[in-house]
Amino acid sequence: MRYRFAEFELDTERLEFWANGEVRALEPQVFDVLLHLIGNADRVVSRDELIEAVWSGRIVSDATISARINAVRKAVGDSGARQDLIKTVPRRGFRFVAPVEAVVEPREEAPSPAGPANAPPADRPSIAVLPFDNMTGDPEQEFFSDGISEDIIAALSRFHWFFVIARNSSFVFKGQSVDVREVARQLGVRYVLEGSLRKSANRVRVTVQFIDAVTGNHIWADRYDRELEDVFAIQDDITQRICGALEGALSLEEQRRARLHHPGNLDAWTAYHLGLKCVSEAGSAANAVESGRVFADARSHFEHAYALDPNFARPMSAQALALRREVVQGVRSQADASAAIEQAIALCSRAIALDPQDGIHRATYGTLLGVRGDWTAALQSIDEGIELNPNSALAYFERGLVKSFGYWPDLAIDDLEIAARLSPLDAQLALRYPVGSWAQLRTGEYEGAATWGEKGVREVRSLYWPAIDTAVAYFAMERPQRAREFVQEAIRRKPDLSISFLHGNMTYLADNDFKAWFLDCLHKAGMPE
């Protein structure tokens, strides 16, 4: 879908903003605000509606909204004084008032200079990793900068859900001053990763940026400073961090793009990422009931995705993950929990059969085996997944969870911290806080458990487990008043919470003695029977 107005055009498929026949870069939130106003030009759009549509309901200030509206007006040549295109309706919101033409047919584009043979799959994100610039002034460091680029290409190739241009193609641009849009046109990709290497004395700095080459928007950037001791160890560490962070940044960008598609025109890839977005949002839902509704939406999107493409394995393991989280988070009833886990295991088995080289299927499958009580097989399956893709933050998180709930709580924190380091942008990884709190409770680190638990209370609003863990930690530290406060917070999040409910919901835990102590602490802290 394209919207035309005045001398402008908004392309919802490619997320492009055109002015006088040229693509202009727009910051993603500015693009989203403009698109939402145009798509609802028949009525006034309130500030609350904009917050829900653009910021997914997160708390933002009036100043932030006003800044985005002003940026939209500037992009389309309007102003708050003239209001020729965007009218402010006092105390009500905003309305797009310029005439808009909706165009459905695709725009004809000039063929890529690289030819159709170089075009990656149309329904998957495509990436070119350019050779990193050696800015040290030392030709001997060329092997280091090239080595990082090559290692990133190899590591990204392990993520089967996106397409990575081979080294021989992307290294054609080595030593050239290039426009990333021209690179994208020649290689037939949407995204470009580029970086540079600097050196001072015995320290090296690697700077990297990830760009949407179609719009020119910078999606993510970072820098890594290291002491030059073991060069290969530095390459491995930086490659792992870049690939882990990139997976999270790319997934968030694809979720944002998916949200802008028309509901009646979804492909399997878009439906899959809409499901992922719902799973992420389930953690910030207002309560368990709302969380359950969001999980149901996620499952619906995943089912739609693999109905459209039965050979697309990712939605199957993603739905399995959503089902498992519904069970562990108490969204599913106790009577329904066992059937949900068996359905999730069947979905994961199908995903592994379809794509045996994608490590995330084996990691998710392993966690499900743990929930069913087979902890040793669970850890083995997750280890196989990490071996297939050692840069997957989600796989490390799942391994930390299995260690925490199984027989290895003293080893869980390291995996949870690796997951957070690899993908600091992934909202789903906020679940590491209740998992880490549980691990520290089991090892007697009560102050650490309270710290992790309270972070979870703040970060995962719909989940009652962080509050429960924190209550037990404070009771164990002989601070009963604080323990009672967190018991009440848990009950606020799930009003029917009780000792009997938790007893039935914790059947998957490995240590029955610890479970009995845990429930006794909660009972003494005021949890109803």
Side-chain angles (χ1 to χ4, degrees), residues 466-489:
I468 290 175
D469 292 347
T470 309
V472 172
Y474 277 118
F475 191 85
M477 289 189 289
E478 299 182 353
R479 297 179 61 183
Q481 181 57 40
R482 288 290 283 162
R484 283 191 288 271
E485 291 173 4
F486 282 99
V487 165
Q488 291 306 309
E489 174 61 22

Side-chain angles (χ1 to χ4, degrees), residues 12 178 352 425 464 499-500:
T12 65
V178 295
I352 292 171
L425 302 177
Y464 55 84
I499 297 294
S500 60

